[in-house]
């Protein structure tokens, strides 16, 4: 444990008044139906344990995605499900592969399990690495859209990868509702496919910690033995069911985010940044020649002084000249672009 390096989440300021564009939270509130159901659920029933099987939620997810509840597991955020997957399929010393750079939580979870992390470098365009099907890997992770680049691998390429890997392929779709992608049907075509999603981003429920995994029933049955009992609390179950009942509210908010993302990308490119084409609720921007005399770490600090938070990654080196910027409201993005214009050396 002393040798491990834990995951460092994005900064959560204790003071109010910041424009938070650093943790990929949805800038818009959840469905009014969610809030109403939560208020009603704050009753004496909170003395009771939640349903350990989350049956009502799994049945609702099955209706929405046209799959059996036996192919679904829910968790305390998708992070818990990633942990369950590693504990279910990889033992000490087993290989777990993932493209790099990607979601930074995979590596700490692998280290805790005592497995061997096998990162496979992305190309500059973040296309699917040729060598990702690592021989003998018990688990292969693919964040799609990827974080922190926001780039999306097409379904056909994901399916081909699933057919090549030796173990299970875990497609982490935390940001998929901001894209035209989606790989849920993989679980009907491949016995080794697992698709993980979350309600933190598109459903505006990061504070409730709700995730779900889709997989063939045989895989879910095994994973069920590993998950914590009562792993989703009563209020989270209520919120998740209500969010699915009013799924159009999520889709409307996602569309707003995507429209603002287009404006943000155009604004950043006009200011001399290289921006990868994003299918998520954030963008990855590299400082161009216009910013030669300004390091990304310095620009991050200058924005923070103006009470605008973005994400800076000191490592790996290929991200050292980049900032990851969450898509906020139109007003928040306008404030960011104005600040960048004022800070621009040219």
């Amino acid at each position: 444990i002393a040798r491990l390096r834990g995951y460092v989440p994005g900064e959560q300021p204790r003071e109010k008044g910041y424009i938070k564009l650093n943790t990929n939270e949805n800038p818009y509130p959840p469905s009014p139906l969610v809030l109403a159901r939560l208020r009603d659920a704050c009753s004496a029933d909170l003395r009771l344990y939640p349903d350990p099987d989350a049956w009502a939620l799994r049945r609702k997810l099955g209706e929405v995605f046209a799959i059996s509840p036996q192919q679904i597991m829910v968790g305390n955020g998708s992070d818990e499900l990633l942990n369950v997957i590693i504990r279910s399929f990889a033992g000490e010393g087993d290989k777990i592969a993932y493209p790099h750079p990607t979601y930074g939580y995979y590596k700490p979870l692998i280290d805790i399990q005592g497995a061997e992390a096998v990162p496979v470098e992305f190309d500059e365009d973040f296309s699917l690495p040729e060598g990702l099907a690592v021989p003998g890997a018990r688990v292969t992770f693919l964040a799609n859209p990827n974080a922190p680049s926001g780039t999306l691998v097409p379904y056909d390429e994901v399916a081909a990868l699933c057919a090549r890997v030796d173990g299970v392929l875990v497609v982490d779709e935390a940001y998929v509702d901001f894209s035209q992608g989606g790989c849920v049907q993989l679980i009907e075509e491949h016995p080794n496919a697992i698709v993980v999603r979350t309600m933190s981003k598109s459903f505006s429920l990061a504070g409730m910690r709700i995730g779900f995994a889709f997989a063939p029933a045989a895989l879910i049955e095994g994973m069920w033995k590993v998950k914590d009992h009562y792993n989703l609390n009563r209020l989270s179950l209520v919120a998740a069911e209500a969010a699915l009942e009013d799924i159009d509210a999520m889709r409307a908010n996602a569309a707003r985010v995507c429209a603002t993302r287009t404006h943000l990308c155009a604004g950043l490119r006009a200011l001399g940044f290289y921006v990868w084409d994003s299918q998520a609720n954030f963008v990855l921007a590299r400082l161009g020649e216009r910013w030669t005399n300004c390091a990304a770490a310095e620009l991050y600090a200058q924005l923070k002084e103006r009470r605008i938070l973005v994400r800076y990654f000191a490592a790996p080196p290929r991200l050292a000249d980049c900032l990851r910027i969450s898509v906020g409201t139109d007003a928040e993005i306008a404030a960011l672009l104005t600040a960048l214009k004022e800070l621009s050396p040219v």
Side-chain angles (χ1 to χ4, degrees):
I1 295 299
R3 290 194 301 269
L4 297 181
R5 179 176 295 178
Y7 177 69
V8 180
E11 182 178 357
Q12 296 287 355
R14 292 180 173 85
E15 303 174 14
K16 294 189 179 295
Y18 282 90
I19 295 176
K20 281 190 83 275
L21 305 176
N22 64 325
T23 50
N24 301 341
E25 295 150 323
N26 198 310
Y28 304 110
S31 157
L33 181 64
V34 171
L35 301 179
R37 292 277 179 84
L38 283 172
R39 282 189 285 266
D40 292 342
C42 290
S43 68
D45 284 348
L46 291 180
R47 67 186 178 83
L48 302 172
Y49 284 114
D51 176 9
D53 296 329
W55 176 249
L57 175 54
R58 289 165 57 222
R59 184 176 58 206
K60 178 64 71 176
L61 284 164
E63 293 170 359
V64 171
F65 291 96
I67 60 176
S68 166
Q70 281 70 35
Q71 296 172 296
I72 303 170
M73 175 182 285
V74 298
N76 184 27
S78 59
D79 286 341
E80 185 203 15
L81 296 169
L82 299 176
N83 196 5
V84 166
I85 290 165
I86 289 176
R87 292 163 64 196
S88 298
F89 296 102
E92 187 172 356
D94 285 337
K95 294 179 180 179
I96 299 180
Y98 54 90
H100 183 263
T102 191
Y103 181 34
Y105 196 42
Y106 300 148
K107 179 64 162 57
L109 289 176
I110 295 167
D111 291 344
I112 290 168
Q113 183 69 354
E116 178 187 351
V118 185
V120 180
E121 288 297 317
F122 272 118
D123 290 333
E124 184 64 22
D125 62 356
F126 285 93
S127 57
L128 191 66
E130 186 67 29
L132 187 55
V134 174
R138 300 298 301 274
V139 180
T140 302
F141 285 113
L142 178 66
N144 200 40
N146 184 55
S149 63
T151 47
L152 183 76
V153 176
Y155 178 85
D156 289 348
E157 294 183 29
V158 178
L161 174 65
C162 196
R164 295 200 312 272
V165 297
D166 289 339
V168 295
L169 175 67
V170 182
V171 186
D172 184 350
E173 295 191 332
Y175 301 99
V176 75
D177 289 321
F178 303 101
S179 77
Q180 300 299 314
C183 290
V184 174
Q185 71 189 79
L186 267 184
I187 72 167
E188 305 289 2
E189 301 170 358
H190 298 271
N192 62 330
I194 303 174
V195 178
V196 178
R197 293 194 180 189
T198 177
M199 286 190 155
S200 294
K201 314 300 183 182
S202 58
F203 284 92
S204 308
L205 290 173
M208 300 303 296
R209 311 305 300 132
I210 305 160
F212 35 94
F214 305 124
L219 300 188
I220 294 293
E221 182 180 359
M223 291 162 56
W224 205 269
K225 302 172 186 177
V226 178
K227 83 169 186 70
D228 292 339
H229 55 283
Y230 306 130
N231 61 328
L232 218 57
N233 68 65
R234 294 183 70 91
L235 296 181
S236 293
L237 290 170
V238 167
E241 292 170 40
L244 292 170
E245 286 183 37
D246 190 18
I247 197 168
D248 286 343
M250 177 277 284
R251 290 169 176 157
N253 279 346
R256 295 174 72 185
V257 169
C258 290
T260 305
R261 181 182 69 202
T262 300
H263 173 64
L264 171 60
C265 289
L268 290 171
R269 286 167 179 150
L271 287 169
F273 290 86
Y274 178 83
V275 183
W276 283 267
D277 291 332
S278 173
Q279 293 290 302
N281 66 337
F282 59 85
V283 302
L284 184 66
R286 171 172 285 162
L287 279 66
E289 293 182 4
R290 179 173 178 175
W291 299 85
T292 302
N293 296 323
C294 180
E298 179 185 356
L299 185 56
Y300 157 81
Q302 290 173 338
L303 288 170
K304 186 175 180 179
E305 289 177 0
R306 296 175 179 235
R307 304 184 77 79
I308 300 173
L309 293 178
V310 297
R311 194 76 188 269
Y312 168 68
F313 300 95
R318 66 184 296 181
L319 296 181
D321 58 351
C322 297
L323 297 176
R324 193 197 68 190
I325 303 169
S326 304
V327 180
T329 63
D330 288 340
E332 289 171 336
I333 295 306
L336 168 74
L337 293 174
T338 296
L340 289 172
K341 288 178 184 176
E342 293 172 353
L343 294 169
S344 173
V346 178

